[in-house]
């Protein structure tokens, strides 16, 4: 690959990340405001109640969707990359029909299981009507997921970004008055209102995609959709196991530590997987469609995966170091003083995020290849290790034990995914990725070790030092790959001409 072509490829990764990443920053700010208000209006118990509602609903949504909103991205992106307009239209029509049907199935399942969902989550049937109302949310979320999957498959990054910003803003506008006026009684309507807001915005942007009119019987839709469902069902099994594991951890923490402890766990897990997870969402918005477009070319997949992993590590490291070095301030901003005990737990979680980034990039190779069995073996297999590790970690070391287990699990998982991809898809790590990951890990440890051993305020100084090093190193490496100086100069000239 020539230098210009390689630089252009890096820029494509960075551009997609920047567009959707800008939206994610805005979404994070909305989430910060929402989390703060939830903590103030509802307290730790309210946060726990919210988690006990959303966890089983996420499980049902994962099961009933058959993984089609995710697996369809691969087929839509591949047909679009080939310039097959008619094929794209046929796939999308079948996809939309399957999404409606699976959404209805999910709503009916939730409705029928409402008394038992209440008893399993809360130990009482007092919350049955909450689950009855939220059965509509399961249906609405399925339709929204399908529309956002369509935007992703067509690589409409700008539209995805705007949908994220506007949907998040509307959800916040709906939720805040409900929490303020009704307290914990406003949790259910706030969840449903947020889902309806997302539906409205996703519909608005997905309707703008031009599609050819194609005649397609329901039998043809079933045939086309069954191909998506074949991979999707295995994604569903993986998602089901993941959601079931998450729900099980919530229940275990409630049983051992009580509802207050569930609130702390939900807050700490949310700080890392919600806010940091948004960074992964930004980076992954274009990654799977891009890999799917070249899924038959192992050399290209190896190149794209290494580039994505490099950019991921370079973007994540300064963010993780900054977050880790300012955790007391972050907890105070996001929640209240009552949530300060989550700081050691979150520190361990952040320490494992670079390992998660690398394994995450490798996992998408399996999806792009459509290797459904291997995806199932790796994703479900790791849960048989991770769930006992989390439960034992919590039982013996409290919330920090879950964080320690998180680091160990992703260290093992990264090694496992490397050998799987090397054996099956001729994947190897580039020298550049190994160097970047090694140096970034060293910088992260500068912030992590003082935070765990000495705590704050000592960790403020080490965090500031590490952030300065991480920011400088990341900018240097990003400029080397994409010539950021020249890129910024062109952007500046563009605005001057205007």
């Amino acid at each position: 690959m020539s230098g210009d072509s390689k630089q252009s490829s890096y820029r494509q990764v960075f551009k997609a990340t920047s567009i959707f990443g800008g939206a994610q920053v805005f979404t994070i700010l909305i989430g910060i405001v929402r989390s703060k208000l939830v903590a103030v209006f509802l307290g730790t118990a309210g946060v726990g109640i919210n988690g006990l509602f959303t966890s089983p609903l996420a499980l049902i949504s994962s099961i009933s969707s058959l993984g089609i909103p995710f697996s369809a991205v691969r087929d839509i992106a591949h047909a679009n990359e080939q310039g097959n307009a008619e094929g794209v239209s046929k796939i999308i029509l079948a996809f939309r029909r399957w999404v409606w049907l699976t959404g209805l199935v999910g709503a009916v399942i939730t409705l029928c299981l409402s008394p038992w969902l209440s008893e399993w989550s809360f130990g009482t049937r007092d919350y049955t009507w909450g689950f009855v109302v939220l059965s509509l949310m399961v249906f609405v979320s399925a339709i929204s997921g399908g529309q956002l999957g369509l935007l992703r498959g067509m690589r409409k990054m700008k539209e995805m970004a705007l949908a994220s910003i506007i949907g998040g803003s509307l959800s916040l506008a709906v939720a805040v008055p409900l929490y303020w006026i009704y307290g914990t009684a406003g949790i259910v309507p706030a969840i449903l209102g947020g889902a309806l807001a997302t539906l409205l915005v996703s519909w608005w942007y997905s309707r703008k995609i031009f599609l050819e009119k194609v005649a397609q019987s329901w039998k043809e839709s079933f045939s086309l959709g069954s191909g998506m469902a074949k991979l999707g069902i295995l994604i569903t099994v993986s998602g089901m196991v993941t959601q079931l594991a998450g729900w099980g951890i919530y229940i275990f923490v409630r049983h051992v530590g009580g509802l207050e402890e569930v609130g702390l766990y939900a807050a700490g897990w949310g700080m890392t997987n919600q806010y940091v997870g948004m960074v992964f969402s930004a980076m992954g918005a274009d990654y799977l469609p891009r890999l799917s477009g070249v899924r038959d070319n192992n050399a290209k997949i190896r190149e794209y995966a290494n580039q994505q992993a490099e950019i991921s590590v370079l973007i994540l490291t300064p963010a993780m170091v900054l977050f880790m070095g300012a955790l007391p301030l972050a907890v105070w901003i996001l929640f209240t003083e009552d949530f300060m005990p989550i700081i050691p737990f979150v520190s361990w979680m952040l320490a494992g995020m670079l390992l998660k980034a690398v394994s995450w990039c490798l996992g998408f190779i399996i999806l792009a290849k459509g290797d459904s069995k291997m995806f199932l073996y790796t994703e479900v297999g790791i849960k048989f290790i991770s769930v006992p590790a989390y439960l034992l970690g919590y039982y013996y070391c409290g919330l920090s034990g879950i964080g320690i287990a998180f680091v160990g699990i992703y260290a093992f998982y990264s090694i496992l995914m490397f050998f799987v991809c090397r054996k099956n898809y001729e994947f190897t790590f580039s020298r550049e990725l190994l160097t970047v990951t090694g140096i970034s890990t060293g910088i992260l440890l500068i912030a992590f070790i003082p935070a765990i051993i000495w705590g704050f305020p000592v960790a403020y100084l080490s965090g500031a030092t590490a952030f300065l090093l991480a920011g400088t190193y990341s900018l240097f490496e990003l400029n080397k790959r994409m010539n950021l100086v020249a890129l910024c100069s062109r952007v500046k000239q563009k605005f001057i001409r205007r």
Side-chain angles (χ1 to χ4, degrees):
M1 188 183 221
S2 67
D4 290 342
S5 179
K6 189 173 183 180
Q7 192 176 86
S8 175
S9 184
Y10 274 116
R11 283 182 176 174
Q12 185 176 349
V13 175
F14 189 75
K15 180 182 178 181
T17 302
S18 300
I19 291 173
F20 201 66
Q24 293 301 292
V25 169
F26 190 85
T27 306
I28 286 173
L29 295 176
I30 293 173
I32 289 172
V33 174
R34 185 181 185 121
S35 296
K36 181 69 174 181
L37 293 175
V38 169
V40 171
F41 293 145
L42 307 182
T44 55
V47 175
I49 291 171
N50 187 79
L52 289 168
F53 266 122
T54 57
S55 187
L57 292 175
L59 171 62
I60 292 173
S61 295
S62 176
I63 296 170
S64 62
S65 71
L66 302 179
I68 289 175
F70 194 83
S71 63
V73 170
R74 174 179 172 271
D75 292 338
I76 294 170
H78 189 260
N80 191 44
E81 183 75 16
Q82 305 302 314
N84 185 356
E86 183 180 357
V88 169
S89 298
K90 287 183 176 181
I91 290 171
I92 290 174
L93 177 56
F95 168 53
R96 282 174 165 165
R97 288 177 174 178
W98 274 77
V99 164
W100 275 79
L101 288 173
T102 55
L104 283 170
V105 170
V108 171
I109 291 173
T110 305
L111 192 62
C112 294
L113 292 179
S114 293
W116 292 277
L117 292 173
S118 175
E119 191 167 331
W120 294 334
S121 281
F122 296 97
T124 174
R125 294 199 173 189
D126 293 346
Y127 294 87
T128 297
W129 277 105
F131 283 106
V132 169
V133 172
L134 291 177
S135 64
L136 177 59
M137 186 276 286
V138 173
F139 173 70
V140 167
S141 297
I143 306 303
S144 301
Q147 291 170 167
L148 293 172
L150 171 58
L151 293 174
R152 187 179 182 189
M154 297 296 289
R155 301 182 72 178
K156 299 292 184 180
M157 295 299 106
K158 181 180 177 181
E159 288 77 3
M160 284 183 66
L162 289 171
S164 177
I165 291 172
I166 298 172
S169 300
L170 288 177
S171 296
L172 181 66
V174 169
V176 170
L178 292 169
Y179 292 144
W180 182 26
I181 297 171
Y182 300 107
T184 55
I187 290 175
V188 170
I191 294 172
L192 179 58
L196 290 170
T198 303
L199 173 67
L200 177 64
V201 175
S202 63
W203 168 80
W204 178 261
Y205 284 104
S206 65
R207 74 184 181 85
K208 296 183 178 182
I209 296 176
F210 173 77
L211 299 173
E212 292 187 2
K213 290 185 178 181
V214 292
Q216 187 177 102
S217 67
W218 279 91
K219 184 178 180 180
E220 290 173 317
S221 293
F222 179 81
S223 178
L224 275 173
S226 61
M228 304 175 203
K230 184 177 179 181
L231 175 60
I233 287 172
L234 294 182
I235 293 175
T236 297
V237 172
S238 173
M240 179 184 67
V241 173
T242 299
Q243 298 296 338
L244 187 60
W247 188 20
I249 293 170
Y250 269 106
I251 293 172
F252 184 81
V253 172
R254 178 181 64 81
H255 178 74
V256 175
L259 194 57
E260 298 286 332
E261 194 81 351
V262 173
L264 293 174
Y265 167 70
W269 192 268
M271 281 185 72
T272 49
N273 284 284
Q274 182 180 351
Y275 300 122
V276 178
M278 289 181 180
V279 179
F280 284 103
S281 296
M283 292 184 294
D286 190 55
Y287 181 45
L288 178 59
R290 194 168 182 235
L291 280 183
S292 298
V294 295
R295 64 193 187 196
D296 299 322
N297 187 332
N298 284 341
K300 278 289 183 183
I301 282 185
R302 181 169 58 249
E303 174 192 323
Y304 289 172
N306 274 292
Q307 290 174 353
Q308 182 69 56
E310 289 172 43
I311 297 297
S312 299
V313 171
L314 290 172
I315 290 175
L316 271 174
T317 302
M320 295 304 94
V321 168
L322 179 62
F323 207 170
M324 189 180 295
L327 269 176
L329 181 62
V331 172
W332 179 79
I333 291 173
L334 295 173
F335 304 106
T336 65
E337 293 285 339
D338 295 336
F339 289 82
M340 288 297 173
I342 68 175
I343 289 176
F345 167 43
V346 176
S347 296
W348 280 102
M349 292 283 290
L350 291 173
M353 281 298 165
L354 290 186
L355 293 167
K356 182 176 180 178
V358 174
S359 63
W360 171 87
C361 289
L362 297 178
F364 273 94
I365 295 176
I366 299 175
L367 283 174
K369 285 286 188 179
D371 193 343
S372 52
K373 290 184 179 179
M374 184 57 67
F375 177 80
L376 182 66
Y377 294 153
T378 54
E379 290 298 307
V380 175
I382 193 66
K383 299 301 183 296
F384 286 98
I385 298 174
S386 62
V387 173
Y390 287 140
L391 298 184
L392 288 172
Y394 179 73
Y395 187 80
Y396 288 105
C397 302
L399 291 176
S400 293
I402 296 178
I404 295 168
F406 182 85
V407 175
I409 289 161
Y410 275 101
F412 172 78
Y413 189 55
S414 297
I415 296 170
L416 172 66
M417 293 302 292
F418 169 72
F419 282 110
V420 167
C421 291
R422 181 179 180 180
K423 180 180 179 181
N424 293 281
Y425 318 119
E426 303 173 350
F427 179 82
T428 56
F429 285 132
S430 67
R431 183 182 302 175
E432 292 86 352
L433 174 59
L434 293 174
T435 302
V436 163
T437 303
I439 294 175
S440 296
T441 300
I443 295 173
L444 184 64
L445 289 175
I446 294 174
F448 172 72
I449 293 174
I452 293 297
I453 296 178
W454 299 295
F456 295 86
V458 174
Y460 283 126
L461 179 60
S462 61
T465 302
F467 178 65
L468 180 62
L469 290 171
T472 302
Y473 178 69
S474 290
L475 284 174
F476 174 78
E477 290 295 331
L478 288 171
N479 182 62
K480 187 166 67 175
R481 285 160 175 76
M482 296 176 293
N483 197 354
L484 287 178
V485 175
L487 186 62
C488 291
S489 178
R490 283 201 295 271
V491 173
K492 180 180 178 182
Q493 290 298 323
K494 183 177 180 181
F495 280 101
I496 290 174
R497 291 193 196 101
R498 291 182 178 179

